[in-house]
Amino acid sequence: MTMLHVQPETSGLSPRSARPQRPARMEPLAVLPVFLPLTGRKAVLAGGGEPAAWKAELLLAAGGELHLFTDNPCEDLAALLADPALSPRIHHAFRRWQPEDLTGAALAIADAEDDEDAAAFFAAARAAGVPVNVIDRPAFCQFQFGGIVNRSPLVVGISTDGAAPVLGQTVRQKIETLLPPGLSRWAQLAARIRAAVSERLESVALRRRFWRQFSEAAFARGAPKVEEDFGALIDHLAEEVPASGEVVLVGAGPGDAAHLTLGAMRALQSADVILFDDLVSAEVLELARREAKRMLVGKRGGRESCAQEDINDMMVSLARQGRKVVRLKSGDPMVFGRAGEEIARLEAEGIPVSVVPGITAASAMAARLKVSLTHRDHAQSLRLMTAHSRHGGLPDTLDLSGRATSASTTVFYMGRRMADSLRQRLLSEGVSPDLPVVAHGSVSRPEEKIWTGRLADLTSTAMAAFGDAPVLIGIGQVFAAAKVGEEAGLPVVAAQVQARKVRA
């Protein structure tokens, strides 16, 4: 029986109306991450318990002048007070705080005994115009302390807005393992040589190029070498003719940001301009460098979009301005992505171009269905084919003979509108009408849908349930073992209801 398996939809959109959502300049933030310089500034701390001791250490580490008010400091606070390196910056009063103590403070923190004490401190701080935090009492906090990864002057702050503290701790641990301990020394070195870099390298493009090399070295080496080495690098770059920009063709994968490669992430984080296709998901774009300009160049079958030559012209123009351009394509750039035309144009213009491969939709479909596309019992070859020629119809040059098709797995890209043509052509070439077929729409996305059946059932009526979603059509014996229904997290009950609607 032919069945359409439908994943639960999100955001109240029907299958026909669902569209990839374009991201705002920035997605909503629960809190604003702000980094506050405290060196030489007054920081008030009221209370003497262990929570206050941790905040005292934090304020002192940030260079603050600590004004401590407590008549009963705990052991850890007493140790800070006795430390000769810290004691000159600690002003300790053996008494309870008073409202006038908050005057001129950069911030105020309290380890309150009860809600009454917390409310009084909160009110006094607000009256003095001082940002206030009462430890472990969110109702009396104007700001929060998050997790910290310290590679000072590189500091990473982590917050879950109080929703999941343990998750925040886990994230901090993960980041700790990713950032080399020596990164602190690289950041310190950057501060010392920044003026020299700006003086010697007048071109913005050259300065950006230098700092990219510098940053790559920070992760590739354990510790920075002597400053003279970087002086030589500055001299070398200063003597060069100002370089043009470059273009990187990047595969964004089928949609789910989890399918991005590490190379794609690095390219997105270093881009000046991102030219992205309509099928690139909002989740992927959200991972790009914030300062990068994003331009939709919308290549999508059946819709109004930029002409390929216009896209080529845009890449050339932007690169000649010295910018790093990322041409972000859904799936893999080298699989039906027209990358060959773009590479040829860029090379003809003398513009450096490189490629970061991505996970193509056929691979993502196979993973989702738990199907080996090259199972040795069913397929001696794997064929990735386009269902569209330059003129919009099924290409006449495709080898769809029964002999070739029965011994292989064939995946057609952009096949939804060609369903009838594909069925008729394959049947006319002697392909069995019982050959298993899978149609997979919006692969790896929340709105994905899967149709399974036989070649004889592959019709435009069946494909209508996908709306205008991008659809892959897989044909071959390997799809007889496709994991659908509850095994794949796709509800069979909803699928049966939808299938009846299609057949009706």
Side-chain angles (χ1 to χ4, degrees), residues 151-388:
R151 301 290 187 272
S152 190
L154 174 65
V155 179
V156 180
I158 303 155
S159 170
T160 64
D161 194 28
V166 175
L167 176 61
Q169 294 170 13
T170 303
V171 170
R172 182 185 63 79
Q173 292 166 3
K174 297 291 185 183
I175 295 176
E176 286 279 9
T177 63
L178 291 173
L179 300 185
L183 212 55
S184 175
R185 292 177 59 188
W186 286 93
Q188 294 168 14
L189 176 58
R192 292 199 298 272
I193 68 175
R194 179 168 295 279
V197 172
S198 297
E199 180 180 348
R200 293 302 314 278
L201 304 179
E202 297 180 0
S203 163
V204 173
L206 283 180
R207 289 200 297 270
R208 180 177 291 279
R209 185 177 171 194
F210 171 84
W211 288 116
R212 281 178 183 155
Q213 293 183 23
F214 181 94
S215 300
E216 288 171 2
F219 280 87
R221 305 176 189 173
K225 294 183 179 180
V226 295
E227 293 185 29
E228 286 74 16
D229 288 351
F230 292 99
L233 178 58
I234 295 172
D235 292 340
H236 174 69
L237 290 176
E239 294 169 0
E240 291 185 358
V241 175
S244 69
E246 60 177 309
V247 176
V248 185
L249 309 185
V250 176
D256 188 341
H259 291 319
L260 274 182
T261 66
L262 183 57
M265 283 284 294
R266 287 173 175 166
L268 289 172
Q269 286 294 316
S270 62
D272 297 315
V273 183
I274 300 170
L275 306 180
F276 64 97
D277 283 345
D278 189 59
L279 287 177
V280 173
S281 70
E283 291 77 13
V284 168
L285 286 170
E286 181 64 19
L287 298 173
R289 176 172 170 258
R290 286 289 164 205
E291 295 80 7
K293 184 176 182 179
R294 307 173 193 187
M295 303 174 69
L296 172 62
V297 293
K299 299 294 292 179
R300 181 135 176 214
R303 292 189 183 180
E304 183 179 350
S305 59
C306 292
Q308 184 62 54
E309 192 56 39
D310 292 338
I311 297 174
N312 294 346
D313 290 343
M314 199 178 304
M315 288 189 295
V316 170
S317 174
L318 290 167
R320 283 180 172 165
Q321 296 171 27
R323 302 190 184 190
K324 180 171 182 179
V325 181
V326 164
R327 176 72 175 95
L328 189 61
K329 298 169 174 282
S330 177
D332 184 287
M334 314 304 273
V335 179
F336 304 121
R338 303 184 73 170
E341 300 169 48
E342 296 178 350
I343 292 171
R345 173 66 185 282
L346 292 165
E347 289 183 338
E349 299 284 351
I351 293 172
V353 57
S354 57
V355 180
V356 177
I359 294 177
T360 191
S363 296
M365 176 178 73
R368 188 71 173 98
L369 299 177
K370 300 181 182 177
V371 166
S372 172
L373 298 178
T374 56
H375 195 295
R376 63 180 180 177
D377 292 339
H378 303 298
Q380 284 70 59
S381 64
L382 170 63
R383 304 188 299 174
L384 305 181
M385 295 186 169
T386 175
H388 277 267

Side-chain angles (χ1 to χ4, degrees), residues 14-204:
S14 67
R16 191 174 298 274
S17 66
R19 297 284 189 278
Q21 297 299 304
R22 296 296 125 212
R25 186 59 184 168
M26 178 175 287
E27 295 296 319
L29 289 169
V31 292
L32 179 67
V34 174
F35 295 90
L36 178 68
L38 272 185
T39 301
R41 302 179 68 186
K42 176 181 178 181
V44 172
L45 177 62
E50 290 184 1
W54 163 239
K55 294 300 189 291
E57 188 171 351
L58 190 63
L59 296 171
L60 290 166
E65 295 287 328
L66 181 63
H67 291 246
L68 176 64
F69 298 92
T70 178
D71 55 5
N72 187 26
C74 68
E75 184 177 343
D76 289 340
L77 267 177
L80 291 176
L81 290 167
D83 187 333
L86 298 176
S87 57
R89 290 193 288 118
I90 303 177
H91 310 275
H92 181 201
F94 284 88
R95 61 174 175 81
R96 188 179 183 279
W97 65 274
Q98 300 294 328
E100 56 269 22
D101 296 327
L102 301 176
T103 302
L107 50 79
I109 303 168
D111 181 12
E113 297 179 357
D114 51 39
D115 279 353
E116 183 179 355
D117 187 27
F121 189 85
F122 182 77
R126 291 196 62 184
V130 179
V132 57
N133 175 286
V134 180
I135 300 171
D136 293 334
R137 298 179 190 272
F140 302 106
C141 294
Q142 290 182 313
F143 66 91
Q144 306 164 352
F145 290 91
I148 294 174
V149 178
N150 187 8
R151 301 290 187 272
S152 190
L154 174 65
V155 179
V156 180
I158 303 155
S159 170
T160 64
D161 194 28
V166 175
L167 176 61
Q169 294 170 13
T170 303
V171 170
R172 182 185 63 79
Q173 292 166 3
K174 297 291 185 183
I175 295 176
E176 286 279 9
T177 63
L178 291 173
L179 300 185
L183 212 55
S184 175
R185 292 177 59 188
W186 286 93
Q188 294 168 14
L189 176 58
R192 292 199 298 272
I193 68 175
R194 179 168 295 279
V197 172
S198 297
E199 180 180 348
R200 293 302 314 278
L201 304 179
E202 297 180 0
S203 163
V204 173

